[in-house]
Amino acid sequence: MAKEKIIKVVIQVKKDSLERWEKNNPILRAGEPSYVTDLGKFKVGDGKTHWVDLPYFLLETDTTSNVIIKTKESWKQYDKVKS
């Protein structure tokens, strides 16, 4: 059996104000998150859509503590991570 290895990492998310996101309007890489500091919201890039045209991601939990990730167009449900 392979030995488990713990790797400590820091994930840096691009963050800025709504005004600056709208002004710069970048195309984020596929899966690249961005955070709007004054709204407390996230958008995730698809590699082809300008930032202003991406939907916001909403993270919610349901009554069973599953995480639900919503966008304007669709939603996916993920089971809560068990430790």
Side-chain angles (χ1 to χ4, degrees):
M1 180 184 288
K3 184 178 177 181
E4 286 188 27
K5 188 175 187 178
I6 297 174
I7 301 172
K8 294 182 180 182
V9 298
V10 175
I11 298 173
Q12 183 69 41
V13 176
K14 288 184 178 180
K15 57 186 183 274
D16 217 332
S17 67
L18 178 61
E19 179 182 6
R20 291 190 56 168
W21 278 117
E22 290 177 341
K23 177 183 174 190
N24 294 324
N25 199 23
I27 295 176
L28 301 173
R29 294 183 189 115
E32 181 180 13
S34 64
Y35 181 70
V36 184
T37 55
D38 46 336
L39 298 180
K41 294 183 178 182
F42 284 92
K43 290 188 177 194
V44 177
D46 63 6
K48 57 187 174 194
T49 305
H50 282 275
W51 189 89
V52 296
D53 296 320
L54 292 169
Y56 285 104
F57 269 68
L58 304 173
L59 295 176
E60 300 176 2
T61 57
D62 64 13
T63 56
T64 61
S65 296
N66 290 328
V67 175
I68 299 172
I69 300 176
K70 294 184 177 182
T71 68
K72 290 180 186 175
E73 294 81 22
S74 64
W75 63 271
K76 294 180 181 178
Q77 181 170 318
Y78 297 89
D79 289 334
K80 186 172 108 176
V81 176
K82 296 179 174 86
S83 49

